[in-house]
């Protein structure tokens, strides 16, 4: 693969010209937006490529004080593979599009690369799941969702699906027996489950003669069950889409409206956000949120502060405590996740044994919260490997080294 410098979207000249010549185009209809290195431009311009619902900000912007340091680029680290490098080199090694570091609520480090800017609505992919998890936990705390009730009791359309008999908690912690393979590498024959999900959601063109489900919820309802619920953690995006369905059904509000009313506007965000929608206007709670880097940092800082931000209690403190407690490490151990062997997954957040919490999205999106150290890191990326296994061997040692330096 080309390295970060040679695949920089500015250097590649993607979408330059009026109109851009065919060789410089990044498009939805030919699938080029899902090919590397084109997606290094596409991830920062997803709003121009797929339908999306607006999530507008409102009111005065909440402050993020500056206390920039000039000594962090040279912080040394050793990757899990034994390679020595600096913090600055780690950003290139992980194809970082932008990164910000807060220490005790102040910006101590901030960098932008390629075409990503402070107001860019960069695709967050599965960081979106952590917002859905927060909403679900807040509804549980209000008594509007019951964690031990089956999904089919809230959404009757799930009764014949592989998730109908799963409880809300099993879905929240991704401990279901859903029949779905989260494999981002296309198969040699036929469509993969991820490709079928993408077609249903409108992220890929609907193929001639294809009669699969249309829409996120229809796709979830079409899936079967491959094993018992309540076992080990297995990462499957349709769990979150089902959770979103429960949240929307119970609240009576769309996901875009909930994120706007419960987070974006009361938190005094700096930029508008958006979320990808299918042909029916249903948001993609599994990975469609698009937002700016600094606003991601605000979410991380709000979690570090026990749910309080901008003079308001955004997330009730007991809910933050429940989320940051994590899941069952025994259910997570088989994953053997790089840099996180003793961690867990719970409430749609990733957790480390040291108490750090992470919202993670494919290709390198992240919110990293270390309450004990007073550090929050938010990162946007366009790594050529979708799974974060492709970058965590560098990311976790880099984050640890920077926290130690701070």
């Amino acid at each position: 693969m080309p390295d970060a410098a040679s695949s920089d979207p500015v250097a590649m000249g993607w979408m330059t010209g009026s109109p851009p010549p065919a060789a410089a185009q990044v498009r939805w209809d030919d699938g080029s937006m899902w090919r590397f290195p084109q997606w290094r431009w596409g991830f920062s311009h997803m709003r121009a490529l797929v339908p999306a619902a607006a999530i507008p900000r409102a009111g005065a912007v909440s402050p993020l004080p500056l206390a920039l340091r000039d000594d962090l680029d040279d912080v040394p680290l050793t990757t899990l593979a034994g390679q020595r490098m600096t913090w600055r080199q780690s950003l290139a090694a992980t194809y970082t599009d932008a990164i910000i570091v807060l220490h005790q609520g102040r910006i101590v480090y901030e960098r932008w690369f390629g075409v990503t800017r402070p107001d860019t609505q960069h695709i967050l992919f599965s960081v979106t799941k952590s917002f859905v998890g927060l909403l679900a936990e807040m509804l549980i705390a209000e008594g509007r969702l019951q964690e031990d009730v089956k999904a089919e009791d809230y959404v009757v359309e799930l009764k014949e699906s592989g998730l109908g008999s799963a409880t809300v908690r099993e879905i929240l912690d991704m401990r279901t027996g859903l029949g779905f393979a989260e494999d981002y590498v296309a198969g040699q024959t036929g469509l993969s489950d991820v490709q079928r999900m993408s077609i249903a959601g409108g992220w890929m063109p609907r193929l001639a003669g294809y009669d699969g489900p249309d829409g996120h919820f229809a796709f979830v309802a079409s899936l079967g069950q491959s094993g018992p619920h309540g076992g080990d953690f297995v990462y499957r995006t349709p769990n979150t889409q089902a959770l979103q369905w429960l949240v929307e059904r119970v609240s009576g509000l769309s996901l875009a409206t909930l994120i706007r009313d419960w987070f974006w506007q009361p938190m005094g965000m700096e930029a508008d956000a958006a979320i990808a929608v299918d042909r029916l206007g249903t948001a993609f709670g599994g990975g469609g949120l698009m937002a700016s880097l600094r606003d991601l940092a605000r979410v991380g800082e709000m979690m570090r502060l026990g749910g309080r931000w901008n003079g308001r209690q955004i997330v009730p403190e007991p809910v933050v405590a429940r989320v940051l407690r994590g899941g069952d490490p025994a259910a997570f151990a088989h994953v053997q996740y790089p840099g996180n062997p003793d961690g867990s997954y719970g409430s749609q957040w990733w957790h480390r044994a040291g108490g750090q919490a992470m919202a993670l999205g494919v290709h390198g999106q992240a919110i990293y919260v270390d309450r004990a150290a007073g550090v929050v890191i938010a990162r946007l990326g366009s790594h050529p490997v979708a799974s974060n296994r492709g970058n965590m061997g560098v990311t976790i040692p880099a984050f640890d080294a920077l926290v130690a330096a701070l």
Side-chain angles (χ1 to χ4, degrees):
M1 288 290 182
D3 63 15
S6 58
S7 65
D8 183 296
V10 175
M12 300 291 290
W14 299 120
M15 297 299 284
T16 56
S18 185
Q25 292 176 8
V26 180
R27 302 172 60 111
W28 171 86
D29 57 355
D30 65 2
S32 57
M33 63 178 280
W34 297 117
R35 292 198 290 267
F36 183 86
Q38 289 95 320
W39 69 44
R40 300 211 66 199
W41 184 91
F43 291 173
S44 288
H45 295 86
M46 192 68 76
R47 184 96 190 257
L49 295 169
V50 299
I55 302 174
R57 61 163 307 279
V61 176
S62 57
L64 282 176
L66 283 172
L68 295 173
R69 291 177 52 165
D70 59 7
D71 59 333
L72 298 179
D73 274 327
D74 297 323
V75 169
L77 62 107
T78 303
T79 70
L80 296 185
Q83 182 182 2
R84 291 173 169 252
M85 62 176 62
T86 64
W87 167 261
R88 175 172 21 189
Q89 290 169 331
S90 78
L91 304 183
T94 53
Y95 295 79
T96 300
D97 292 334
I99 194 162
I100 189 171
V101 181
L102 306 185
H103 186 222
Q104 304 298 348
R106 296 177 178 272
I107 301 174
V108 296
Y109 187 91
E110 190 175 30
R111 292 289 186 276
W112 310 87
F113 303 96
V115 293
T116 309
R117 297 291 179 264
D119 61 349
T120 295
Q121 294 179 346
H122 195 287
I123 185 67
L124 306 184
F125 291 115
S126 291
V127 169
T128 312
K129 292 180 171 71
S130 297
F131 284 86
V132 178
L134 283 175
L135 290 168
E137 292 286 9
M138 291 165 78
L139 290 170
I140 289 171
E142 293 178 1
R144 297 161 73 183
L145 268 180
Q146 301 291 329
E147 62 181 2
D148 57 351
V149 171
K150 293 180 180 179
E152 63 192 28
D153 293 336
Y154 290 109
V155 178
V156 67
E157 296 93 328
L158 288 171
K159 188 173 181 62
E160 302 302 322
S161 78
L163 286 174
S165 61
T167 66
V168 172
R169 176 56 57 189
E170 287 166 340
I171 294 172
L172 251 172
D173 295 349
M174 292 213 191
R175 298 180 63 183
T176 69
L178 181 66
F180 180 89
E182 191 91 6
D183 188 354
Y184 298 100
V185 180
Q188 297 299 312
T189 58
L191 293 169
S192 68
D193 286 348
V194 171
Q195 287 175 315
R196 293 191 304 111
M197 179 176 67
S198 298
I199 292 172
W203 276 22
M204 289 176 56
R206 197 167 182 86
L207 306 176
Y210 178 69
D211 61 355
D214 188 15
H216 295 303
F217 291 164
F219 178 75
V220 173
S222 75
L223 297 174
Q225 187 172 344
S226 62
H229 301 310
D232 285 345
F233 158 76
V234 181
Y235 189 84
R236 298 181 176 112
T237 290
N239 281 303
T240 314
Q241 295 172 288
L243 187 65
Q244 170 194 347
W245 204 348
L246 301 180
V247 165
E248 291 192 354
R249 183 64 57 87
V250 166
S251 70
L253 300 171
S254 71
L255 183 58
T257 299
L258 286 165
I259 293 174
R260 181 196 69 193
D261 292 350
W262 291 24
F263 298 109
W264 236 250
Q265 295 195 349
M267 288 186 68
M269 294 304 201
E270 187 169 323
D272 293 343
I275 191 164
V277 297
D278 62 19
R279 299 171 186 86
L280 303 176
T282 302
F284 181 29
L289 191 60
M290 309 166 203
S292 74
L293 179 71
R294 290 174 184 161
D295 289 337
L296 273 195
R298 287 179 168 88
V299 173
E301 185 67 4
M302 177 269 293
M303 293 295 287
R304 187 185 76 84
L305 295 175
R308 190 166 184 81
W309 182 256
N310 201 28
R312 302 175 64 172
Q313 193 70 37
I314 304 299
V315 179
E317 194 166 3
V319 173
V320 174
R322 174 65 186 89
V323 171
L324 296 184
R325 191 169 76 225
D328 183 357
F332 188 82
H334 72 101
V335 177
Q336 298 183 340
Y337 206 74
N340 196 21
D342 302 317
S344 67
Y345 187 93
S347 306
Q348 305 281 302
W349 286 72
W350 301 78
H351 304 270
R352 297 184 68 192
Q356 303 90 345
M358 299 179 287
L360 298 176
V362 289
H363 302 285
Q365 325 316 316
I367 304 173
Y368 187 82
V369 182
D370 188 332
R371 297 186 80 184
V375 174
V376 169
I377 303 172
R379 183 184 67 189
L380 305 171
S382 49
H383 198 284
V385 177
S387 169
N388 278 308
R389 289 178 180 272
N391 72 72
M392 279 300 182
V394 176
T395 294
I396 292 296
F399 285 4
D400 285 346
L402 199 72
V403 168
L406 291 171

